[in-house]
Amino acid sequence: LEQTLRNLVTELCGGTVTVQKLADGGDGSFDPAAGWEFTLDPTNGALPNQTKTIDVDGQLNFDINAIFTEQVTLTENLGAQPGYVYLADQLVCTNSANGNAAVPLTPVANGATFDVAPGDIISCTFKNKREFVDLGIAKTDGGVTTVPGGEVTYGIVYGNQGNVDAPNTVITETVPADTTVDLGVGPADGKNDAWLCDGSDSGVHGPGTVCTFAAGTVPAGAAGLM
């Protein structure tokens, strides 16, 4: 009888968590996205973990069959959707059983931890967007004027405005006509700033020479100066 009553109470009074999945495929528009996998993991080991897949309407629903307030962790499986980044700062959960009040969230990797009380009707919206690298570069001589045979020092700024790191980044420049590039006698003199021209880190190089600078990994949102 005790177990029967417990089952009846949890069925009638347990909380629910609904997930709305929105994804930006690259055009800046967030639309409902099917096929994403989510896991609801209660801290209480007596309650089962649940893993479900977003339906064609971009939603799924979890039932929390508990008679007390329970802490749960809701996460999405990014491994099943390669090429996307999770927008943690845009995760929003509200409780319609409490006037659509915001649910306090503790961020975790690819999701959040929060409390679900009996009767709660919680809705969480997850947003993801395509990973992309957006490299840019700007070069300036500072507006200086020089004479034939004189020297000009150029400043180059590069950056990545994408949302993922750009690994193994190499900047390449070909020495233009009527110009030479002086790399000095080597890295110790501070002239070449890690540039290589035709594979050399020193010497004077004439028009048509291909010069490279290995910037390495350029983090998302970062910039460099050389």
Side-chain angles (χ1 to χ4, degrees):
L1 178 60
E2 178 184 357
Q3 187 59 50
T4 300
L5 290 175
R6 179 180 295 273
N7 291 342
L8 179 60
V9 169
T10 56
E11 288 178 6
L12 294 177
C13 301
T16 63
V17 176
T18 299
V19 177
Q20 172 73 57
K21 178 72 230 171
L22 301 176
D24 173 11
D27 61 359
S29 175
F30 288 92
D31 300 307
W36 290 73
E37 186 179 88
F38 284 80
T39 295
L40 189 76
D41 182 10
T43 300
N44 183 352
L47 299 176
N49 286 10
Q50 301 179 58
T51 297
K52 294 185 178 183
T53 302
I54 296 289
D55 63 20
V56 294
D57 296 319
Q59 295 186 347
L60 63 76
N61 185 74
F62 292 105
D63 292 319
I64 315 298
N65 293 327
I67 59 176
F68 302 107
T69 296
E70 298 289 348
Q71 184 182 71
V72 299
T73 298
L74 177 63
T75 55
E76 65 178 1
N77 180 9
L78 276 181
Q81 295 286 347
Y84 279 88
V85 61
Y86 161 60
L87 303 181
D89 62 336
Q90 297 192 35
L91 173 60
V92 177
C93 296
T94 58
N95 186 357
S96 62
N98 189 25
N100 288 322
V103 176
L105 304 176
T106 299
V108 300
N110 301 328
T113 296
F114 52 90
D115 290 337
V116 181
D120 280 353
I121 305 173
I122 295 176
S123 299
C124 295
T125 300
F126 280 72
K127 290 185 177 181
N128 294 70
K129 68 188 305 182
R130 281 284 188 188
E131 295 179 335
F132 68 96
V133 170
D134 185 5
L135 292 172
I137 190 167
K139 177 180 177 181
T140 178
D141 62 5
V144 302
T145 299
T146 189
V147 297
E151 287 191 354
V152 176
T153 299
Y154 287 93
I156 298 177
V157 177
Y158 61 93
N160 176 13
Q161 297 185 36
N163 57 27
V164 292
D165 297 349
N168 306 315
T169 302
V170 176
I171 297 171
T172 301
E173 180 163 7
T174 302
V175 180
D178 303 318
T179 306
T180 60
V181 171
D182 183 5
L183 296 184
V185 296
D189 68 4
K191 264 193 172 184
N192 72 357
D193 290 330
W195 279 88
L196 298 176
C197 291
D198 280 349
S200 174
D201 62 4
S202 61
V204 177
H205 303 267
T209 304
V210 176
C211 301
T212 59
F213 175 85
T217 297
V218 182
L225 173 66
M226 55 182 168

